[in-house]
Amino acid sequence: MRKQVIAGNWKMNKNHREAEDFIQTAKNEVPSSDQVESVICAPFPFLQKLVEETEGTSLKIGAQNMHFEESGAFTGEVSPVMLKELGVEYVVLGHSERREIFKETDEEVNKKVHAAFNHGLTPIVCVGESLEQREANQTMDHVEAQVKKALEGLTDEQSQQVIIAYEPIWAIGTGRTATSEQANEVCTHIRKVVSDFVSAGVAEAVRIQYGGSVKPANVDELLSQSDIDGALVGGASLEADSFLKLVEAGKHE
Ligand SMILES: O=C[C@H](O)COP(=O)(O)O
């Protein structure tokens, strides 16, 4: 039985007060549970405060990106060492917005995954196809290539700890969710890719999230699918009530 992971990705939203209000409401409501792990991935300026506020609770804090180098002349970047020092535990890597807008490559994502493990951070690695790729029947090949490159050079144990987030780009922030069957079909394929590329044991244990317009109204059906082990949520993670409903759904799977 895999533990569900419900991760909120706030993207570039909220001010300090709003972040604080969210955490005050959510931190004691998030259950300590064997069934579900709860994470909020916040903008860099809020991380220190959020880590402090959630200490001793079951709500964990993640970043939304980082550089793969420990330090150096990389103006505007944040290193894994800095995140670890703050007490951040997770980091979203290779989100489609990073890949599309900031031109991140599969190679960079792989370097970041290695850097995350070198510094004790759990990577949430995003993969997913565009609408054009889906319509051209390239979804499975595209996602397979992204997963293999992300896991390249990892030990089996590290591969098992990676959280893979399948996010079809056409379903992100559009209100257009993949059907639970569409989402599960790709997540099942990802598990097979991990099985062939790493091992059957790792594939059985690795957690695969779905992301793309997940909300309280559709989360139960998505999480009930055989190969979906949680959700990476943008819009519906911005309000504490809504995030808590998603966590509650994860607890019941
Ligand atoms: O990281 C989260 C995803 O990009 C999904 O965003 P969304 O739930 O607003 O569609």
Side-chain angles (χ1 to χ4, degrees):
M1 187 68 191
R2 295 178 292 266
K3 191 172 183 178
Q4 301 270 328
V5 194
I6 304 294
N9 173 12
W10 285 353
K11 308 193 179 182
M12 197 173 71
N13 290 299
K14 292 196 184 290
N15 59 34
H16 237 100
R17 162 53 72 90
E18 290 163 348
E20 170 84 24
D21 287 351
F22 179 108
I23 289 299
Q24 289 306 335
T25 309
K27 69 178 185 182
N28 296 316
E29 300 290 326
V30 159
S32 148
S33 152
D34 290 341
Q35 273 92 50
V36 67
E37 206 164 305
S38 316
V39 187
I40 286 292
C41 300
F44 293 130
F46 307 151
L47 291 175
Q48 180 167 14
K49 182 82 178 157
L50 298 191
V51 167
E52 284 168 11
E53 297 274 352
T54 53
E55 215 184 316
T57 75
S58 299
L59 183 54
K60 305 299 174 198
I61 302 300
Q64 299 172 11
N65 178 38
M66 66 178 194
H67 199 277
F68 49 82
E69 293 288 355
E70 293 183 3
S71 63
F74 302 103
T75 301
E77 292 290 325
V78 168
S79 83
V81 179
M82 296 168 185
L83 295 180
K84 188 63 187 173
E85 204 174 56
L86 287 183
V88 165
E89 295 182 58
Y90 298 76
V91 60
V92 176
L93 298 175
H95 190 280
S96 61
E97 288 149 16
R98 302 283 329 159
R99 293 178 189 262
E100 282 200 335
I101 306 168
F102 301 98
K103 307 298 171 210
E104 275 190 19
T105 63
D106 284 336
E107 286 69 27
E108 285 166 330
V109 173
N110 177 251
K111 284 183 182 173
K112 291 180 180 198
V113 173
H114 280 273
F117 282 118
N118 289 340
H119 296 283
L121 298 162
T122 298
I124 300 176
V125 177
C126 304
V127 298
E129 80 287 3
S130 66
L131 189 56
E132 284 104 322
Q133 287 168 324
R134 174 157 284 266
E135 286 172 347
N137 280 325
Q138 293 166 352
T139 298
M140 299 305 188
D141 287 350
H142 178 70
V143 165
E144 175 165 347
Q146 286 182 315
V147 169
K148 284 183 180 167
K149 189 65 201 177
L151 301 184
E152 201 174 272
L154 297 181
T155 65
D156 287 10
E157 202 185 325
Q158 288 170 334
S159 293
Q160 184 168 322
Q161 284 165 22
V162 172
I163 298 168
I164 300 174
Y166 167 57
E167 299 205 312
I169 298 171
W170 48 272
I172 295 177
T174 57
R176 185 177 161 185
T177 325
T179 64
S180 46
E181 291 76 22
Q182 281 174 324
N184 197 50
E185 188 187 16
V186 182
C187 292
T188 302
H189 180 64
I190 291 173
R191 205 173 295 288
K192 179 167 185 324
V193 170
V194 175
S195 180
D196 295 345
F197 191 65
V198 188
S199 75
V202 167
E204 188 50 35
V206 76
R207 272 101 54 87
I208 305 175
Q209 297 174 307
Y210 167 76
S213 299
V214 176
K215 44 188 183 282
N218 61 21
V219 68
D220 286 323
E221 205 193 320
L222 286 160
L223 296 188
S224 69
Q225 299 297 309
S226 59
D227 285 299
I228 300 180
D229 311 312
L232 181 60
V233 188
S237 74
L238 290 170
E239 297 299 329
D241 284 358
S242 158
F243 178 71
L244 289 168
K245 282 184 189 148
L246 301 173
V247 170
E248 195 55 35
K251 205 171 121 186
H252 294 140
E253 284 313 316

